[in-house]
Amino acid sequence: MAARLFAVPTGARVVSQPHLRTVVVLAAGEGKRMKSALPKVLHPLLGRTLVGHVLAAAAPLAADRTVVVVGHGADQVRAHLAEIAPEATPVLQAEQLGTGHAVRIALDAAPEATGTVVVINGDVPLLRPETVAALVEAHEGAGAAATVLAAEVPDPTGLGRIVRDADGRLEQIVEERDATGAQRAIREINAGIYAFDAARLRDALGKLSTDNDQGEEYLTDVFALLGSAGEPVAVHVAADHVETLGCNDRVELATLRRLLRDRVNEAWMRTGVSLLDPDTTWIDVTVALDRDAVVDQNTQLRGGTVVGTGAVVGPDVTLIDTVVGPGATVLRSHAVGAEVGPGASVGPYAYLRPDARLAEKAKVGTFVEVKNSEVGAGAKVPHLSYVGDATIGAKANIGAATIFVNYDGVNKHRTTVGEAAFIGCDTSLIAPVEVGAGAYVAAGSAITQDVPPGALGVTRAPQRSIDGWVARKRAGTASAEAAARAQAADEDASAPGSRASEGEAIHGDAEPVGSASGAGDTATE
């Protein structure tokens, strides 16, 4: 199921484009503090990777080209880009020699780039499209050579500072390790997001030095170079500093995940979705919910999941790439790649595997697993059953402990149960096999041949009871003692003159209930 790029309402719009634009995403860093074999920009949160969120934020710019600078784990990042943004061009930074060096490599790979170049760090997943758009509009509207996105933060530790002159104009951007004590007290920080004029950026990049504490080419030095040459440089302040938060370790990643959860949940509630416990509800940014859907506590909605109008999902539900129709109910269940039709019911404790499809008002109940199967309109699989590679007709009833035996050790085979058929409890349907419309299968049967429409399928061996077996084989056990007491009571009851004996004489010809000639207790609902 294809994920929706902008399922959560963002209000983002494509920025008017007077000239060409290029987006450069910096995604080459190792992220040592993540302590992971996975490149930092590939760590996921709520439906996208870090770099995926950044690319989504830049998408409304409708840039002419997007260049992603890769380095650590380059092959993994390239493979991911091929899946989520095949139009993006990955460019290798074999040695991480600084942000200035990375942007120079990116522009070398796009020699035709003119107009505006937007540079974004690959680890700012909370960045909104509206904020990127506002940065570019401010930059292009002012005719600036370079514009930096800034934010006022409570704690600037570890971040580059925006240093302004007495008139409030940008004087320089200083990395913390190169900052003076007075500069470190500044709380306006560099968010790592920029807009440049392409021609003037190329010229300044060729003049960068490595005379700093890290011995790297800093992209931020471009501002000082342009400013000293009399070129206009500017600062655009983000409305919400939370958008500019980056990620350097697992603790920060968890913080970003919680912040994004809160943003997503608030957006859905404002569109008319009920979240009964937002703190325990996790909804990917790629999920879509219709008005009046209800999501109960401890629920995860992931991937391309869609929840229809008036549907109730949760508590304790995980849905991945699953469609839930209007008015359906999913309770304490897990579903992957499934479809739950309008008014259908799932759970509690059901498992819908890929290509499980429930038609309107179908029921899949407690401890039922369904895979690659259709459950027809109004059909019921109430409990304790496995349905694999099957087609179940409308209004059919599948009794408890029914197994659709679909695998012979080499190949999968399909079972068909017709409309309004009735499958008894503890039945095995051994595929390939077909139970016709309106047919019955007696409880306890193993069906290996087709059952014609309206017929009764039975495969029961005759029952036999071996008298005295417990006394001989389990002597001295609680079972043997209970059996002896029951036998003694039966003997007393059948003694001449007893009330039970007299009753037997009156009712002794009564027909047994559930005789072997019928289906017995065929199924449950």
Side-chain angles (χ1 to χ4, degrees):
M1 184 179 302
R4 301 186 180 193
L5 185 59
F6 293 110
V8 177
T10 63
R13 57 189 175 83
V14 176
V15 181
S16 59
Q17 191 166 354
H19 46 71
L20 298 175
R21 295 195 181 112
T22 298
V23 170
V24 176
V25 177
L26 305 182
E30 180 178 356
K32 291 182 180 179
R33 282 177 281 176
M34 298 295 287
K35 293 182 170 57
S36 175
L38 189 68
K40 180 173 80 169
V41 296
L42 297 189
H43 279 264
L45 69 164
L46 296 193
R48 295 193 186 110
T49 58
L50 293 175
V51 71
H53 282 286
V54 169
L55 290 168
L61 289 179
D64 301 277
R65 65 194 58 77
T66 298
V67 180
V68 181
V69 181
V70 301
H72 180 74
D75 290 342
Q76 292 172 276
V77 179
R78 285 194 194 98
H80 180 60
L81 291 173
E83 292 180 3
I84 68 164
E87 73 285 352
T89 301
V91 175
L92 178 65
Q93 185 186 24
E95 292 183 85
Q96 278 73 66
L97 302 177
T99 51
H101 178 253
V103 173
R104 181 151 50 85
I105 290 174
L107 293 184
D108 288 345
E112 74 286 1
T114 59
T116 300
V117 176
V118 179
V119 180
I120 309 176
N121 284 337
D123 65 346
V124 282
L126 302 186
L127 183 65
R128 295 179 188 267
E130 303 94 309
T131 300
V132 179
L135 168 68
V136 173
E137 285 189 333
H139 169 77
E140 293 175 350
T147 304
V148 58
L149 183 69
E152 188 85 13
V153 299
D155 181 7
T157 303
L159 302 172
R161 309 301 203 275
I162 300 294
V163 180
R164 298 176 183 260
D165 63 19
D167 296 323
R169 293 186 294 263
L170 177 65
E171 185 174 280
Q172 61 177 323
I173 303 171
V174 182
E175 296 297 319
E176 183 174 70
R177 64 180 62 197
D178 299 311
T180 65
Q183 290 170 338
R184 291 188 181 190
I186 297 171
R187 292 194 298 114
E188 188 177 31
I189 58 93
N190 168 25
I193 301 154
Y194 316 91
F196 298 98
D197 173 77
R200 288 181 278 192
L201 173 61
R202 287 183 191 276
D203 181 66
L205 288 172
K207 300 175 183 177
L208 291 178
S209 76
T210 58
D211 185 19
N212 52 59
D213 187 67
Q214 290 182 280
E216 295 180 349
E217 297 179 26
Y218 290 162
L219 180 62
T220 50
D221 287 347
V222 166
F223 285 84
L225 289 169
L226 291 173
S228 63
E231 299 282 7
V233 294
V235 179
H236 180 77
V237 181
D240 181 2
H241 78 275
V242 170
E243 292 186 49
T244 68
L245 295 176
C247 175
N248 292 305
D249 58 30
R250 312 281 184 134
V251 174
E252 291 178 352
L253 181 63
T255 298
L256 295 180
R257 186 176 288 112
R258 288 192 297 271
L259 290 169
L260 185 56
R261 175 203 63 195
D262 293 344
R263 177 195 292 179
V264 169
N265 289 354
E266 180 179 340
W268 283 121
M269 287 187 286
R270 293 194 183 282
T271 66
V273 174
S274 291
L275 305 184
L276 303 190
D277 186 7
D279 288 345
T280 63
T281 300
W282 297 83
I283 303 174
D284 281 0
V285 296
T286 47
V287 166
L289 299 100
D290 289 336
R291 182 176 295 181
D292 290 325
V294 177
V295 182
D296 209 334
Q297 65 183 1
N298 298 325
T299 294
Q300 298 183 56
L301 305 179
R302 297 168 55 188
T305 292
V306 178
V307 179
T309 300
V312 178
V313 175
D316 308 319
V317 165
T318 297
L319 303 180
I320 304 170
D321 294 330
T322 292
V323 175
V324 179
T329 301
V330 183
L331 170 64
R332 290 192 170 92
S333 297
H334 188 102
V336 182
E339 184 173 342
V340 180
S345 173
V346 178
Y349 311 115
Y351 180 22
L352 303 184
R353 291 169 58 191
D355 295 319
R357 293 180 291 278
L358 280 61
E360 185 175 6
K361 295 184 179 179
K363 176 181 176 62
V364 167
T366 309
F367 299 114
V368 174
E369 180 177 339
V370 182
K371 165 243 159 189
N372 190 30
S373 298
E374 295 88 39
V375 181
K380 299 177 181 179
V381 190
H383 33 224
L384 301 166
S385 296
Y386 170 71
V387 180
D389 299 292
T391 299
I392 298 173
K395 299 181 181 179
N397 190 78
I398 310 300
T402 294
I403 304 298
F404 286 69
V405 185
N406 59 331
Y407 185 45
D408 64 9
V410 178
N411 298 308
K412 300 289 180 70
H413 302 281
R414 199 159 189 87
T415 296
T416 300
V417 175
E419 179 184 355
F422 197 81
I423 307 300
C425 296
D426 196 24
T427 291
S428 293
L429 302 174
I430 302 174
V433 71
E434 181 173 353
V435 178
Y440 273 55
V441 172
S445 294
I447 300 299
T448 59
Q449 299 178 16
D450 292 352
V451 180
L456 170 66
V458 183
T459 59
R460 287 181 180 166
Q463 178 178 326
R464 65 191 183 112
S465 299
I466 303 172
D467 290 338
W469 186 90
V470 172
R472 293 193 302 273
K473 300 294 187 180
R474 298 292 184 267
T477 64
S479 298
E481 294 171 0
R485 288 193 296 270
Q487 289 166 352
D490 287 346
E491 290 172 359
D492 290 343
S494 60
S498 69
R499 293 178 61 84
S501 159
E502 293 172 0
E504 247 178 43
I506 297 171
H507 303 292
D509 58 351
E511 182 178 344
V513 176
S515 65
S517 62
D521 292 333
T522 320
T524 56
E525 286 191 350

